[in-house]
Amino acid sequence: MNIFHVNAFVARDVFSGNPAAVVLSPKSLPVDWMGKIAAEMNLSETAFVVPEEGAGRFSLRWFTPTVEVDLCGHATLASAHVLYTEGIVEPDTRIVFSTRSGDLTCGPHTGDDRLTLDFPAIPSSITTVPSGLLLPNKSRPVMVMRAGKWVLMEVDSEESLRCLDPSSPIVAEANTQAMIVTCEGRGDYDFLSRFFAPRLGVPEDPVTGSAHCVLAPYWKKRLGRDRMVGFQASGRGGIVEVACVGDRVELSGRAVTIY
């Protein structure tokens, strides 16, 4: 068994992006043991990768420090990065991960060092904005949407996005598994986002690939574009390039092994 520390969806600095632990094991491991390893690693996600029959096929499971989750983008990117860079999978072989969310594929992005994930799009629907709901800077949300167990909230500016933290009442008191907060971008980025999941043991996730499965179709409708660049404006920051393809979302980004 080998454990790697990988930063996924890095920006210009290799110490940006979202850290993930990637555990390569020759066989399946007990669930309670995986949970303890994830708690010991104390990163937003620890991925457990086990080979299956067939070239490029692997079982993949994700754990936060407290629970197993159904979908995680950055730890999937980190896992694929390790399989390619350690020579376990040949560069021209597309990886197929068997997961709780079905088969997820990953392969090299054309022409550069990025990798591209193929994930299911997660639709969202409008929900009522409670009267009197205010952000810490006294502005009101532009839109509040439901996306499965999550809430997606659009705010009016980058200032409104950055004024939030996990202890803000609008986050801490939200009746949801996790909250995605987003605003329209400018310059190099089509949209910005942040992701809060204190109920999953992750007060704020640095860069969340799975959140972009919600963000991509949402901003496609808002901006009328199939391909966009998102910046997750956490303290570390990270870049996720998205492409809407039918009921799927392609997520592209870079990863780097720290140790």
Side-chain angles (χ1 to χ4, degrees):
M1 188 184 71
N2 293 297
I3 301 178
F4 300 83
H5 179 119
V6 177
N7 289 345
F9 294 117
V10 296
R12 295 173 180 85
D13 184 346
V14 297
F15 297 107
S16 62
N18 199 349
V22 177
V23 180
L24 300 185
S25 174
K27 61 182 181 180
S28 298
L29 303 168
V31 172
D32 62 339
W33 193 88
M34 288 190 284
K36 289 176 181 178
I37 289 295
E40 183 74 12
M41 298 307 298
N42 200 32
L43 298 174
S44 57
E45 305 291 340
T46 296
F48 294 87
V49 182
V50 178
E52 293 185 334
E53 289 188 14
R57 290 199 65 95
F58 298 85
S59 167
L60 176 61
R61 297 175 75 167
W62 310 280
F63 287 75
T64 77
T66 59
V67 298
E68 184 174 8
V69 297
D70 293 335
L71 189 65
C72 178
H74 86 277
T76 304
L77 186 75
S79 299
H81 168 79
V82 168
L83 292 172
Y84 283 126
T85 57
E86 292 299 308
I88 298 167
V89 175
E90 294 297 319
D92 59 350
T93 299
R94 193 161 184 82
I95 297 170
V96 180
F97 291 115
S98 173
T99 79
R100 278 185 165 190
S101 295
D103 283 355
L104 306 175
T105 63
C106 182
H109 189 276
T110 304
D112 56 35
D113 60 347
R114 288 175 292 172
L115 297 176
T116 297
L117 308 173
D118 181 350
F119 272 34
I122 301 176
S124 56
S125 57
I126 296 174
T127 189
T128 304
V129 180
S131 60
L133 182 65
L134 295 176
L135 303 173
N137 68 349
K138 307 304 181 185
S139 67
R140 280 180 53 78
V142 174
M143 186 83 71
V144 178
M145 312 282 286
R146 274 279 173 190
K149 298 177 182 179
W150 298 350
V151 163
L152 170 65
M153 180 171 66
E154 183 186 345
V155 296
D156 62 354
S157 66
E158 184 174 345
E159 175 195 355
S160 296
L161 181 82
R162 292 188 181 276
C163 77
L164 289 166
D165 63 50
S167 65
S168 299
I170 200 170
V171 175
E173 298 172 13
N175 183 26
T176 182
Q177 188 186 74
M179 177 179 285
I180 309 166
V181 185
T182 188
C183 70
E184 189 170 349
R186 56 177 181 266
D188 293 337
Y189 308 116
D190 296 290
F191 59 86
L192 308 180
S193 67
R194 294 176 71 187
F195 185 89
F196 303 99
R199 295 191 179 192
L200 297 178
V202 183
E204 179 171 6
D205 196 33
V207 192
T208 316
S210 54
H212 286 75
C213 296
V214 179
L215 290 161
Y218 177 78
W219 284 109
K220 175 185 176 179
K221 291 180 181 178
R222 293 274 282 108
L223 301 177
R225 300 173 199 159
D226 290 324
R227 295 183 177 273
M228 295 164 286
V229 180
F231 179 74
Q232 193 152 330
S234 64
R236 294 176 62 95
I239 297 171
V240 184
E241 299 182 37
V242 301
C244 295
V245 183
D247 62 353
R248 310 289 293 181
V249 176
E250 293 180 350
L251 310 172
S252 299
R254 293 179 170 85
V256 60
T257 301
I258 303 301
Y259 59 81

